[in-house]
Amino acid sequence: MTDSATAKKSLTEMLPEEAIQEIEVWLAKYPADRRRSAVMASLMIAQKNNKGYLSQELMDAVADYLGIPHVAAYEVATFYTMYNHEPVGEHVINVCNNISCMLRGCDDLIAHLEKRLDIKTGQTTADNKITLRTVECAGACAGAPMCEIDEVYYEHLTEEKLDKLVDNLLGKQGEA
């Protein structure tokens, strides 16, 4: 860890001032001795302002800014699937593959997306438009099968609904 002035300079070099201000809003929600409580939100803000992923350098800068050990930021960033550790496409499709979605056909939907996008799960299209991932549980079991695209949930999916969503992402038609 470094002193707070050095940490702020480092993070300020990596993120726009609006992102730093947003992190400060989160820090204000917690007592001064509980800065670690803002790590999840701070990492998400950093990721959003870094083309959708967290580099080790950026995680270190967030940890330094919060005044917590680097490992505390790594623990959070590696535990939750919402954090990306390498560049992703302009849009990220997260398909839930937990039991409810599996029983309602998510495996077929994943196969359909892989074929449609000509990528495998975990990959990004050649034009860097779409990254396809699976997530263990998105907490929307009643709407299974479901996916999350750019932080918006889509439920009761069919291949046709997915095709409309993908067309929309690729700019091939209006709102899905």
Side-chain angles (χ1 to χ4, degrees):
M1 291 185 292
T2 60
D3 66 55
S4 62
T6 304
K8 181 170 181 157
K9 182 179 179 205
S10 176
L11 195 60
T12 301
E13 291 172 357
M14 299 173 143
L15 298 178
E17 182 58 31
E18 301 81 40
I20 301 296
Q21 291 172 1
E22 193 175 349
I23 290 171
E24 286 295 329
V25 167
W26 279 95
L27 283 168
K29 295 179 181 191
Y30 303 104
D33 64 337
R34 302 280 188 231
R35 292 175 65 87
R36 180 183 297 228
S37 300
V39 70
M40 288 184 75
S42 299
L43 288 170
M44 189 57 72
I45 293 163
Q47 177 172 276
K48 285 181 183 179
N49 286 277
N50 191 51
K51 299 182 180 179
Y53 79 103
L54 294 169
S55 64
Q56 182 174 344
E57 180 183 34
L58 187 53
M59 287 186 283
D60 289 347
V62 168
D64 290 343
Y65 189 80
L66 297 178
I68 63 175
H70 292 173
V71 71
Y74 303 158
E75 288 169 344
V76 171
T78 58
F79 180 79
Y80 295 101
T81 59
M82 63 193 173
Y83 300 108
N84 304 308
H85 306 287
E86 53 190 55
V88 295
E90 183 181 334
H91 305 283
V92 177
I93 300 175
N94 290 307
V95 181
C96 180
N97 65 355
N98 208 318
I99 189 71
S100 295
C101 288
M102 183 187 64
L103 291 172
R104 306 262 341 252
C106 73
D107 292 339
D108 293 336
L109 296 177
I110 293 166
H112 177 74
L113 284 171
E114 288 178 337
K115 183 177 180 182
R116 165 86 195 267
L117 299 171
D118 194 28
I119 58 174
K120 295 290 183 195
T121 302
Q123 296 180 335
T124 300
T125 55
D127 62 1
N128 287 321
K129 278 283 209 180
I130 298 175
T131 297
L132 177 62
R133 301 185 327 174
T134 58
V135 293
E136 186 57 32
C137 183
C141 299
M146 67 81 60
C147 74
E148 176 259 326
I149 302 174
D150 300 337
E151 300 181 15
V152 177
Y153 276 26
Y154 298 92
E155 300 178 340
H156 307 289
L157 293 174
T158 62
E159 289 181 9
E160 294 76 22
K161 286 181 182 179
L162 274 175
D163 283 339
K164 287 179 183 177
L165 291 167
V166 169
D167 286 345
N168 189 42
L169 295 177
L170 299 174
K172 293 184 178 181
Q173 69 181 40
E175 289 294 314

